[in-house]
Amino acid sequence: MSHLLGLAKPSSEQHGALVPRANREIFQYSLALAPSEIAAISCLETIKSAGISIKDIDWVVAATQTPDFNNPGLASCLIKRLEIKHAAIIELKQPGCGAIYAIDLADSLVRSGAAKNVLVIAMDLLSRYFGEDTPTKVSAANARERFADGACSFLVSKNRAQGRSYRLLGTALRTTARLERSYFCHLPAADRFPQRLTPQDIEIGDHYPVLSPDEFELESVLLRSDIEQLRIRTAVDKSPFRFCIVDTPVPEKLTPFVAENFTESEIIVRKASSGYQGVAGAILPLLGAATKLQSSDRVCLLSLASGAAWGAAILEVEQ
Amino acid sequence: MTTIIGTGHAVPAQVVTNNDLTKFMETSDEWIAQRSGIRERRWARRGFEPTGECSNADLAYRASAMALDSAKLKASDLDGVVYCTISPDQDFPGSGAALLNQLRLESGLPLFEVRNHCAGFITGLAIARSYLTSGKWRRALVVGVELQSSGLNLSTEGRGTTVLFGDGAGAVVLEDRGAQSGVLELVLGADGTFAESLGVVAPTFARTPFLSAGDFSGKEAPAYPRMEGVVVFKAASQKMPELVREVLTRQNKTLADLALIIPHQANQRILDMLGQALECPEKVYSHIAKYGNTTAATIPLALSEAVIEGRVKTGDLICLVTFGAGFAWGASLIRWG
């Protein structure tokens, strides 16, 4: 059984602010900070909070769709900033549910004996797809209006350390074979010849992500089955969750499902009050809810997003 | 132990020779061959494929179907997929869902989209191994696939890197078996000091806008691959032999025990240095002359071909080794069985 500890994020007040975006406000980290700088701030806080040393980290998993470079991705730039030269790195691009996928992967690395301490950074700077005045096509308008920034980091470890920790009871992951048309970014498209992306694409704005809430279809039968199986597998099918944290770019489509399936829990559906924070959105509310949590409380994290993919994790508060 | 029970590969039908490249850039067969050992590569283009399709997911599907066939399994026997590429058919979500669609896995399964470039396949192998060893999965598919040809600068300004890359795919099916054969050792590592020495800058979220029309201009255009050749060559030539020795030492084996080394195919000169450093050039597998550098696909593609060619037999000890962008590296020692 793995432990999740050192949960941290870069200070919202010190490193970011709410900024206007299409008649609402979204959270944005300072544009002067590169993605790996923000990630490093968070990771240093995680390391400090867990009371471990950088040399204790043997794997780094980065889950993001907004790295410093197209390739190599965030993980390489992050270990450069943290001066880590002894760890393996994994770069995941699983929009929306990357954090849950990363938790499950880190747990597998720990349980298989391949890792002792996996540092996970889950971060998306989605606001950077658009500027305040970026003219966009109608298809990208929803994304522009909702996209915000979010970052958090934590360790998945074999052993507990100092500070708040969570026991990972179980996870469920699924990517369906549905070809996504509600939340996607078509370009660059490697199968477009001779060039996957051209200056003309950029001039006409075809390179922006598209979010179409009206086209979002919830695979509710499969999702319900996965959650039921997960509850049975982790032996929490009879007991309530203290919190159910749900993250998705289209919360309005998910709210009825969550209300129906998590009736006994205090439900936190990530609303668009500070915008959609991508992979970080499934974890960040845990920080906000920390003072309300007590030992043995159970929390369900659920994220749904692009690719008709989802991830769910059940955590139990240890201390 | 995690065992490879099936291998497969696929390449596009269209062969692009060095002479073909002279039609749109100043170069020559001699210049390219001397610097890289590459004579030709495969570039996917519509109209050339017998099936009429040539996407990243199509190549992945063909390699995966072959790997499943050789493992005598159906796609529905899989518990998870690890999809390694830096050239998906759309920016997000990646090509994984399209592969599941082609494999008729409509309900889906856990699928990892891994972006670890040249180290992608061995990283994917490590991911799958952790799932099999931890008991979460019984069988896994790991795919390394690239469609690099649509992301290259097809002018003289880009020739330093454009001539190197090709398209292709390789796949393996893995199962956890209690046998003595399988993945004996696997090491991965990275050093971000050289993150800017090899790769593609744009799209970049270190600035706004994340893409601009200007990213396609100039010798070091951010939208195209860039490489500090000398730095990469020096580091790869030093690290790859170290990695082979490291995995052998961990298993108390020597170079004499090795039947074959399957290295990442980046440049024939690096492969020559590897063979020279280990004093066993005859054991270093190379297909770079005909496929070029297919990034995450090089190792599974070479492995699949080596199996077909009879260069990997039951009981053989083989070593997979890679080094590339990041810098990131990895090696795996496998007892074939």
Side-chain angles (χ1 to χ4, degrees), chain A residues 19-22 28 127 130-135 144:
Chain A
V19 299
R21 182 66 54 88
Q28 185 175 61
S127 79
F130 306 98
E132 189 189 349
D133 303 317
T134 305
R144 178 172 167 252

Side-chain angles (χ1 to χ4, degrees), chain B residues 13-232:
Chain B
Q14 185 184 214
V15 176
V16 177
T17 66
N18 290 345
N19 281 329
D20 291 334
L21 297 179
T22 64
K23 292 170 192 163
F24 41 85
M25 61 176 65
E26 287 173 21
T27 189
S28 69
D29 177 53
E30 187 189 10
W31 189 86
I32 297 169
Q34 238 176 30
R35 281 160 182 77
S36 66
I38 298 166
R39 292 286 181 185
E40 59 189 44
R41 72 286 293 149
R42 303 297 180 97
W43 280 6
R45 290 293 184 270
R46 292 209 164 77
F48 286 88
E49 300 304 308
T51 59
E53 300 296 332
C54 51
S55 67
N56 176 298
D58 293 326
L59 285 176
Y61 169 70
R62 285 164 50 195
S64 301
M66 184 176 166
L68 284 163
D69 275 352
S70 78
K72 298 184 173 55
L73 291 175
K74 303 185 294 292
S76 56
D77 294 321
L78 298 170
D79 298 305
V81 175
V82 185
Y83 200 106
C84 312
T85 188
I86 53 167
S87 52
D89 296 320
Q90 59 182 5
D91 187 52
F92 76 82
S95 297
L99 172 65
L100 299 185
N101 196 289
Q102 295 202 46
L103 289 172
R104 298 181 187 279
L105 291 168
E106 284 84 4
S107 298
L109 36 63
L111 182 140
F112 283 89
E113 292 273 3
V114 176
R115 302 284 181 267
N116 276 60
H117 24 86
C118 315
F121 177 74
I122 294 187
T123 304
L125 197 59
I127 291 171
R129 187 189 189 212
S130 76
Y131 274 85
L132 295 169
T133 307
S134 65
K136 290 183 183 176
W137 298 352
R138 285 185 308 125
R139 296 190 189 98
L141 173 71
V142 180
V143 190
V145 52
E146 301 292 358
L147 218 69
Q148 296 282 38
S149 64
S150 61
L152 303 173
N153 183 349
L154 303 178
S155 73
T156 300
E157 281 184 329
R159 68 180 172 183
T161 51
T162 296
V163 301
L164 302 176
F165 292 104
D167 303 338
V172 297
V173 176
L174 300 160
E175 187 175 73
D176 193 55
R177 290 185 172 177
Q180 294 301 306
S181 58
V183 179
L184 303 175
E185 201 63 60
L186 197 153
V187 296
L188 288 171
D191 180 354
T193 309
F194 302 97
E196 293 172 50
S197 298
L198 176 61
V200 179
V201 172
T204 166
F205 293 86
R207 58 147 215 232
T208 52
F210 70 105
L211 270 170
S212 76
D215 288 339
F216 298 81
S217 312
K219 195 160 189 266
E220 298 246 313
Y224 297 122
R226 64 173 178 174
M227 178 173 66
E228 292 171 26
V230 176
V231 176
V232 176

Side-chain angles (χ1 to χ4, degrees), chain A residues 6-73:
Chain A
L7 182 58
K9 66 168 188 168
S11 157
S12 302
E13 296 74 24
Q14 197 179 344
H15 302 294
L18 288 169
V19 299
R21 182 66 54 88
N23 302 320
R24 66 166 76 187
E25 288 187 320
I26 54 136
F27 178 75
Q28 185 175 61
Y29 280 112
S30 164
L31 295 172
L33 295 171
S36 58
E37 278 180 280
I38 297 167
I41 291 166
S42 188
C43 289
L44 287 171
E45 191 58 40
T46 285
I47 290 161
K48 185 178 158 195
S49 149
I52 67 158
S53 156
I54 277 185
K55 68 177 187 308
D56 296 325
I57 294 164
D58 43 14
W59 289 71
V60 176
V61 178
T64 189
Q65 64 184 85
T66 57
D68 296 45
F69 308 130
N70 187 33
N71 71 77

